Amino acid sequence: MLNNLSDKNSISNIIAQNIREEFNQKVANQDYIDINLINFYIDEIKWLLEERENKNLSTYFVRHGQTDRNLDKKMNPGDVDSVLNSTWIDDSTEMWVLCVENKINVDVIISSWLSRTKQTGEIIWNQIEETQWTKIKYLEDTLLKEMFAWTLKDLSHEELYKISWAKNSTELRVWYKNIQNNWIESLEYFELRVMIGIYKTLLDNKEKNIMYVGHSGTSRVYKRIIEWHSIEKTHYNLDSVPNSLVFELELLNQKFSSILDKEAA
C-alpha cells in the first residue's frame, strides 16, 4: 500500500489520463489491464473507506431514477444519454422527502455526467438544500459512467435473448459482457475506470459525507469493494439495485445496505 498521498494521486492521474485518451481514440485493445492493478485500487479504496468510518463520515450510493429505457427493458449503457421519465421524477421526489426525514448527512453529491444521474442529483439537491449546505459535484469525464454497450446499445432484453444463447438474466449478463460481443469495454477495463473515479473522489473529499449517484453496473463495483466478491460473481450473479434507492457503504460491517431498510429494522 502506498502511504504517500502525492504518489497515489500521481498514479491515479496517469492511469485516468491514459483511459480518457483511449476512450477518445476508440481504442479496443484492452489486453494490458492487470487484475493486480484492480486489486490495488480495491485495497486503497477500502483503506480510505475505513479511514472515513473511523471519522464517522458517511458514504452513500444511489442509482439514478427510472428512464423510459429502463421501463421498456432496453439496454441503458454508458454510450446512451437517456433522461428520467416524468412519472419517476415525481416518485423520486417523494422518496427523497422520506430520505431527508431520515436525516441523511450529505456534504457533497458526485454523479457521472450522464443526464439521468445529473437529474437524480438535482432532485436530491432540491430536497436537502434547505436543511444542509451541500455542493453538488459532477465528475465530468467517462470514469463513473455506466458500462458501454456499443452495437448492442439499442436492443431490448427480449431482442438480446433472441440473438444470444442466454436462457435467464445471469446467462444474458455473461453473454452481453463477453468481450467477443461487447469489444468496446471489457469487465476489467470497466472496473478499473470506475475504481479510479471512486478513488480520486474519495481523496478529493476526505473530510466530507459523500453521496454517489450512479448506475446499475457501477453499483456492482461498489458492492464488490464492500463485500469482496469475485469479478465474475459481481457482474454476472448479483441483482441490480432498484432505481432511486439509497444504500450506505459500510466497510467495517461489510454491508451495502438500503438506508430505508435500516430505518425499519
Side-chain angles (χ1 to χ4, degrees), residues 160-175:
L160 290 175
Y161 278 119
K162 290 178 181 178
I163 64 174
S164 72
W165 47 260
K167 298 296 188 293
N168 55 53
S169 59
T170 297
E171 291 180 351
L172 189 62
R173 284 195 288 267
V174 173
W175 180 86

Side-chain angles (χ1 to χ4, degrees), residues 73-85:
K73 297 189 180 302
K74 281 191 172 183
M75 300 286 285
N76 206 15
D79 39 353
V80 172
D81 193 18
S82 56
V83 298
L84 303 186
N85 60 42

